[in-house]
Amino acid sequence: MRTYAAKYMVWMMVFFAAALGTQAKALSAQSAVVLDADTGAVRYAHNAHEVLPMASTTKIMTALCAIELGDLDRVYTVKPEYTQTEGSSMYLKPGEQLTIRDTLYGLMLMSGNDAALAIAGECGGMEAFVRRMNDKAKELGLANTHFENPNGLDGETHHTTAQELAQLTAYALKDHDFREIVGTASTTRAGRTMVNHNKMLRMYEGAIGVKTGFTKKCGRCLVSAAERNGRTLIAVTLNDPDDWQDHAELLDDGFARYAPVTLHESGAVVGTVPVEGGTESEVSLCADSTLELWLTPEEKEQIETTYRGRRFVYAPAVQGDYYGEIVYHIGDRILKTDTLTYSRDIEQIPPKPGLLTRCIDFICGLFGLDNMEK
């Protein structure tokens, strides 16, 4: 009896370990989250709402605010005060000239604290720029995020949460310039060879960014993002001594939640539409392409289908002619669309003769005139 109970307990432990899966991951991080960048769905969370300092991951907001101001190719002259800062640097020199875009690469690849000062100084001044950063946080609903500076050096009220940092990153990744900069592994600009501090770009398949950070107070902070099979995941860890390994595992576990789903095959009949004035009352609609998506089981159950096209069509309908589109969506989020065409020909019924014509035909028939030669 005891042996059976012991075996039962072992199997139960194995079952729960497998079921919990990712709940055992990233335990070296004080706070962690994995977020679906497209849907905002949380795929993993560990103290995700704990308010913590974020070191140089601050520069995600710095870059975003500068990019949204525009004019990235404007040339400026480096002021001495931009170079007077501690920590990591892109090694700006007083008097040299470069563009805001060049400086953004130095900010995000080399984590230049001097680059952050230069961007703030050239984008309205330090005080106004930090205010812009905080205004942007409020606009995005990041209630527990506050900035004292553009570089991430320690401050009493300089903090965020893993959840909000992931949300900020999801928003920033929608910008083309931001994605291009943070996804660059190395580049040569403004006379400098810049190598991205983010090792995930070189060690993880599908990695597209985003930013590292470290101070003694904050510990190691990391925001990473990766794309696989059309899905984008963002992982954030704050105060994590084993962040590279944790992020690889977090992202792997996140992507494992998705599986391929075929929405329809090319040529498949996916609907019908009524036909007016035709030899048949309706015609089938064929899909143009094979559509496949990677979805979670929950998403698969939530898919809805909408048709873009007329509620009915007039004959004739010609096989292969364009009818409209089929739209797969979850709520307001469109997943995929495809072109719809008519599956076969539907001929038009010849119009019935009018009353006058029928009367003339009747009279002609009475007098045998219908067979007379004209």
Side-chain angles (χ1 to χ4, degrees):
M1 186 68 176
R2 290 179 181 177
T3 302
Y4 174 80
K7 288 183 178 180
Y8 176 77
M9 289 299 297
V10 170
W11 278 110
M12 288 298 293
M13 291 173 64
V14 171
F15 171 78
F16 281 113
L20 290 172
T22 57
Q23 297 304 310
K25 302 297 183 184
L27 293 183
S28 58
Q30 185 173 348
S31 176
V33 73
V34 177
L35 191 77
D36 186 307
D38 300 312
T39 67
V42 174
R43 300 302 177 206
Y44 170 82
H46 169 67
N47 298 331
H49 298 286
E50 183 176 358
V51 178
L52 294 168
M54 68 287 212
S56 282
T57 60
T58 296
K59 291 164 183 167
I60 294 171
M61 180 64 91
T62 305
L64 175 64
C65 288
I67 290 169
E68 290 190 341
L69 283 170
D71 200 13
L72 301 186
D73 296 312
R74 171 172 59 88
V75 177
Y76 72 96
T77 301
V78 176
K79 297 177 181 179
E81 56 264 35
Y82 298 164
T83 66
Q84 297 167 5
T85 184
E86 61 181 300
S88 54
S89 177
M90 72 172 291
Y91 305 105
L92 291 174
K93 299 175 182 177
E96 77 169 311
Q97 293 187 323
L98 67 166
T99 66
I100 298 295
R101 190 183 301 275
D102 292 334
T103 313
L104 284 167
Y105 276 92
L107 178 81
M108 300 306 283
L109 274 66
M110 303 175 74
S111 200
N113 290 339
D114 52 352
L117 295 186
I119 287 169
E122 295 300 318
C123 295
M126 179 65 69
E127 185 177 337
F129 190 80
V130 173
R131 185 165 57 248
R132 179 181 293 275
M133 293 170 69
N134 286 313
D135 287 345
K136 191 66 182 181
K138 290 179 183 177
E139 177 189 326
L140 297 176
L142 310 181
N144 293 306
T145 297
H146 186 267
F147 302 98
E148 290 186 18
N149 58 65
N151 47 37
L153 293 177
D154 296 336
E156 291 299 319
T157 62
H158 194 91
H159 53 71
T160 188
T161 69
Q163 173 75 30
E164 293 188 0
L165 193 51
Q167 291 172 217
L168 169 62
T169 302
Y171 177 87
L173 284 171
K174 296 176 183 177
D175 184 275
H176 171 76
D177 289 312
F178 183 89
R179 287 177 69 98
E180 183 174 319
I181 292 168
V182 301
T184 300
S186 64
T187 187
T188 300
R189 304 183 70 94
R192 297 166 173 80
T193 297
M194 305 182 191
V195 178
N196 202 319
H197 291 182
N198 184 6
K199 295 180 182 179
M200 294 293 288
L201 290 172
R202 294 176 285 276
M203 66 179 282
Y204 191 80
E205 178 188 354
I208 60 171
V210 176
K211 189 69 189 75
T212 60
F214 173 79
T215 69
K216 288 183 179 180
K217 176 182 177 181
C218 303
R220 294 179 62 87
C221 301
L222 180 60
V223 179
S224 66
E227 290 180 336
R228 288 185 185 174
N229 303 311
R231 303 306 299 248
T232 302
L233 292 180
I234 296 166
V236 176
T237 52
L238 299 176
N239 190 19
D240 183 0
D242 194 21
D243 51 7
W244 303 122
Q245 183 63 33
D246 283 342
H247 275 242
E249 292 182 357
L250 284 168
L251 290 170
D252 280 346
D253 289 339
F255 284 121
R257 296 172 181 265
Y258 302 90
V261 175
T262 300
L263 302 176
H264 63 235
E265 300 280 355
S266 176
V269 173
V270 294
T272 61
V273 62
V275 177
E276 292 289 333
T279 54
E280 297 185 45
S281 61
E282 64 180 22
V283 61
S284 298
L285 302 171
C286 289
D288 183 63
S289 308
T290 297
L291 296 188
E292 184 179 84
L293 287 174
W294 286 70
L295 303 170
T296 64
E298 295 81 8
E299 288 175 329
K300 184 179 178 181
E301 294 300 318
Q302 295 169 1
I303 291 178
E304 299 176 89
T305 304
T306 300
Y307 296 90
R308 292 174 178 168
R310 291 168 291 173
R311 288 182 295 174
F312 63 90
V313 297
Y314 290 102
V318 180
Q319 183 179 7
D321 276 3
Y322 175 83
Y323 162 74
E325 293 181 320
I326 184 171
V327 181
Y328 293 95
H329 58 98
I330 297 176
D332 294 332
R333 182 168 65 96
I334 295 177
L335 304 175
K336 285 281 188 179
T337 63
D338 194 21
T339 297
L340 298 179
T341 59
Y342 301 121
S343 64
R344 62 187 187 280
D345 293 337
I346 303 294
E347 296 181 0
Q348 183 179 22
I349 298 174
K352 294 181 179 180
L355 178 60
L356 179 60
T357 301
R358 294 201 303 272
C359 290
I360 293 173
D361 289 344
F362 176 74
I363 294 170
C364 289
L366 289 176
F367 294 95
L369 301 176
D370 53 329
N371 293 321
M372 291 179 61
E373 292 185 3
K374 295 183 179 179

